[in-house]
Amino acid sequence: MKNRRNFLKKASTGIAAMATVPILAGERFLSQVNQSLVSPAKDALNYITIKDVELIKLKFDKKTPLTWNAIKKSGGGYPSTTFLKITTNQGITGYSVIKGASKDVLSFVKKIKGMNLMNTEQIWDHMFFHNRKPVAKGKEIHAIGSVDLCVWDIVGKALQQPVHKVLGTYREKIPVYAAGGYYAEGKGITELVKEMEEYVKEGYKVVKMKIGYLDAKGDAERTKAVVKALGNDARVMVDANNGYKSAYEAIRYGRMVEDLDLYWFEEPVAPDDWRGNAEVRKELDIPIVAGENEYTRWGTRDLIENHSCDIVNVDSIKGGGLTEMRKIAALCSAFHVPVAPHGYAHMNVHAVASIANALILETYPAKALDFNPALEAFPIKDGYIDSPTKIGLGMDPDPGLIKKYKV
């Protein structure tokens, strides 16, 4: 019996040894195959770093009309746009539109020089935590967001895909709304209604108008006129831009328009008045939107924990860029709260296309291009646009515009 066991032991050892030869050979073969499948270009794309950086400011020659919302005036001058341009060691050029001071943006670009731009999470954490206190708010976040979006443009171009494809596309058709309806000199209800009707003709099914500058009754009259004129052709959003000084003022307006089936009521009170926002939300049967003036996932957390809104509209740049926007959306999804990013549509479109709980995309109508032609208008059909097909963010500035308008 003992001899039999010894025989089986030796036999099994021999078989194992024989099996090892083809297995090891197979591993070497697979390794060689895998190496042969990796092209030199692919190897190069594994490590992409910053070679050069430039800020391109374009100032256009057509003066915009003076308009205002509940808290500030805008326009009345010559509009401008500043692009961040990063050129990499692989010859890939990334672009984003910046928000905030140029010196802050350049400072954060400097922080990530030498780092692998393909490591987007590492890049964001390094900008946010490196060599400064980890504050969750401030102008630094504007700069981080501006740089982060440029990095994503580079990643998309390196992989030869639109950014939303890299992130994982959720929707091919994206609902949009027209942001407008500002106050202006000599602009009454008739002119406001005409403006909104033009947006509907352009293809929009949702339009947004400003409130909060007049008293509650005056703005309610404007709102009712627009809703009546558009009928079943489009729904109406209202945006107070934090114009109401107290929750009861916002509620007073809301009571007057509550039966109009408004799409949403944006920023009714001060951005840091979480209690006031929560009170307005509790008292009205209109979805309340907030977050445009918040920063990062931590600011969003405060909004949600204080029951301040039904929909979060954190700004794509001010929020911390696309890397942080995805975390914001994930946080919101855990509480069944949709997101509708505020700000530049050409960057936000990739967020809305790839985030499951994204609701709608803010855009400016085609007439805005009369004054600022830096970015192309989206072709709109029945309230939707197609998800982008250009690689990266798809917002490289036109060389002709740079030549003509560069400051």
Side-chain angles (χ1 to χ4, degrees), residues 134 143 148 156 161-162 189 201 210 219 224 328 351 368 376 395:
D148 177 80
Q161 293 289 336
I189 290 177
K201 290 177 183 178
K210 299 300 183 180
D219 272 327
K224 290 175 182 178
I328 289 168
E376 296 177 355
M395 50 178 288

Side-chain angles (χ1 to χ4, degrees), residues 127-379:
M127 288 193 289
F128 188 79
F129 291 108
H130 185 61
N131 288 340
R132 69 182 194 87
K133 294 180 180 180
V135 295
K137 298 183 178 183
K139 62 182 182 178
E140 291 89 355
I141 308 299
H142 293 190
I144 289 174
S146 301
V147 177
D148 177 80
L149 283 152
C150 193
V151 168
W152 273 107
D153 188 41
I154 290 167
V155 170
K157 289 171 178 173
L159 300 176
Q160 290 291 295
Q161 293 289 336
V163 168
H164 67 87
K165 290 289 186 185
V166 177
L167 298 172
T169 303
Y170 180 80
R171 53 179 62 84
E172 298 285 355
K173 297 287 185 181
I174 299 169
V176 295
Y177 69 87
Y182 287 80
Y183 302 95
E185 190 69 37
K187 183 179 179 180
I189 290 177
T190 301
E191 290 76 19
L192 173 64
V193 166
K194 184 179 179 182
E195 175 190 350
M196 295 294 154
E197 288 174 334
E198 288 298 319
Y199 298 158
V200 174
K201 290 177 183 178
E202 194 175 324
Y204 287 102
K205 294 294 185 181
V206 182
V207 298
K208 187 166 79 174
M209 58 175 282
K210 299 300 183 180
I211 60 167
Y213 181 74
L214 304 179
D215 60 23
K217 184 178 179 181
D219 272 327
E221 289 176 358
R222 295 169 69 249
T223 308
K224 290 175 182 178
V226 171
V227 171
K228 182 179 179 181
L230 299 187
N232 294 324
D233 294 334
R235 293 183 67 191
V236 178
M237 301 169 163
V238 294
D239 183 3
N241 290 105
N242 315 118
Y244 292 109
K245 304 300 182 185
S246 64
Y248 71 78
E249 289 179 294
I251 293 168
R252 179 182 294 164
Y253 163 80
R255 291 274 190 245
M256 296 178 184
V257 298
E258 202 167 15
D259 62 341
L260 299 180
D261 189 31
L262 297 178
Y263 194 98
W264 74 37
F265 184 175
E266 185 173 338
E267 294 197 303
V269 295
D272 56 357
D273 186 4
W274 298 325
R275 181 203 60 80
N277 263 313
E279 187 176 346
V280 175
R281 178 174 177 249
K282 181 180 178 181
E283 293 296 324
L284 297 178
D285 289 331
I286 308 171
I288 302 301
V289 179
E292 176 183 331
N293 291 294
E294 272 300 348
Y295 299 84
T296 72
R297 77 199 85 151
W298 296 284
T300 304
R301 174 202 60 197
D302 293 338
L303 285 173
I304 293 174
E305 287 183 345
N306 286 277
H307 308 286
S308 297
C309 57
D310 299 288
I311 301 162
V312 167
N313 71 329
V314 173
D315 186 284
S316 60
I317 302 179
K318 191 185 295 183
L322 189 51
T323 301
E324 186 68 1
M325 180 65 72
R326 289 170 60 76
K327 294 181 174 67
I328 289 168
L331 172 64
C332 290
S333 72
F335 292 89
H336 304 284
V337 173
V339 295
H342 167 271
Y344 290 98
H346 291 76
M347 294 182 282
N348 282 335
V349 66
H350 295 276
V352 177
S354 62
I355 292 172
N357 60 319
L359 182 64
I360 196 168
L361 177 69
E362 178 174 37
T363 69
Y364 282 93
K367 72 173 187 177
L369 294 178
D370 291 345
F371 307 99
N372 188 337
L375 299 171
E376 296 177 355
F378 293 107

Side-chain angles (χ1 to χ4, degrees), residues 1 8 15 49 53 57 64 74 78 86 122 129 136 172 188 205 230 270 282 289 293 299 315 391-392:
M1 192 69 180
L8 292 174
I15 292 169
T49 60
V53 59
K57 183 175 181 179
T64 59
S74 59
Y78 299 99
I86 292 177
Q122 185 185 70
F129 291 108
E172 298 285 355
K205 294 294 185 181
L230 299 187
K282 181 180 178 181
V289 179
N293 291 294
D315 186 284
I391 64 171

